[in-house]
């Protein structure tokens, strides 16, 4: 990444970077819709965590953060909600059978 530092203020590079990211988000949204039927806003911020699911604090804190943000948004007025940046949270991974948190993840998912 240090090689990109001299180009950080280049408007052409920034525009191309944004375009590539947007294309990737559109492909991801299309694939998710194809697999699940859920339509996502490709203009939203995508927060994606995919890894084996186990008792790591990072994964649990991520889920608790999602629940907290959802709860806070539900308490807002329509005017306040209009100022919230749209966010899509995607968590995926394998859960080992017999894992202590397996039941918790299934409850969050279902």
């Amino acid at each position: 990444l240090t090689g990109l530092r001299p180009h950080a203020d280049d408007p052409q590079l920034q525009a191309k970077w944004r375009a590539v990211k947007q294309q990737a988000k559109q492909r991801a949204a299309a694939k998710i819709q194809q697999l699940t039927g859920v339509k996502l806003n490709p203009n939203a911020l995508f927060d994606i965590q995919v890894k084996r699911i186990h008792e790591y604090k990072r994964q649990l804190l991520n889920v608790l953060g999602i629940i907290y943000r959802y709860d806070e948004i539900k308490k807002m007025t329509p005017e306040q909600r209009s100022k919230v940046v749209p966010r899509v949270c995607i968590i995926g991974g394998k859960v080992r059978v017999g894992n202590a948190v397996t039941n918790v993840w299934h409850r969050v998912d279902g």
Side-chain angles (χ1 to χ4, degrees), residues 37-57:
V38 175
K39 186 172 182 174
L40 302 178
N41 175 1
N43 296 317
L45 183 149
F46 277 30
D47 181 356
I48 302 174
Q49 183 180 38
V50 179
K51 60 191 321 182
R52 181 174 282 284
I53 297 172
H54 34 68
E55 295 93 345
Y56 285 168
K57 290 179 188 175

Side-chain angles (χ1 to χ4, degrees), residues 96-108:
R96 183 174 48 89
V97 175
N99 187 314
V101 295
T102 301
N103 289 334
V104 173
W105 283 101
H106 284 285
R107 283 186 220 138
V108 170

Side-chain angles (χ1 to χ4, degrees), residues 46-102:
F46 277 30
D47 181 356
I48 302 174
Q49 183 180 38
V50 179
K51 60 191 321 182
R52 181 174 282 284
I53 297 172
H54 34 68
E55 295 93 345
Y56 285 168
K57 290 179 188 175
R58 182 179 303 159
Q59 293 167 327
L60 180 58
L61 287 174
N62 194 10
V63 171
L64 292 174
I66 292 167
I67 294 168
Y68 173 79
R69 283 190 302 273
Y70 175 79
D71 189 47
E72 291 299 305
I73 291 169
K74 293 293 280 182
K75 294 176 189 174
M76 293 179 181
T77 66
E79 182 181 330
Q80 291 171 318
R81 286 185 193 173
S82 70
K83 297 175 184 172
V84 174
V85 174
R87 179 184 291 219
V88 174
C89 298
I90 302 166
I91 298 177
K94 286 185 173 184
V95 177
R96 183 174 48 89
V97 175
N99 187 314
V101 295
T102 301

Side-chain angles (χ1 to χ4, degrees), residues 14-34:
Q14 292 173 359
K16 185 164 182 146
W17 187 276
R18 280 191 299 273
V20 168
K21 284 178 58 175
Q22 188 62 28
Q23 289 170 358
K25 286 167 61 174
Q26 288 170 342
R27 284 194 313 273
K31 186 65 171 179
I32 290 168
Q33 184 173 6
Q34 174 193 356

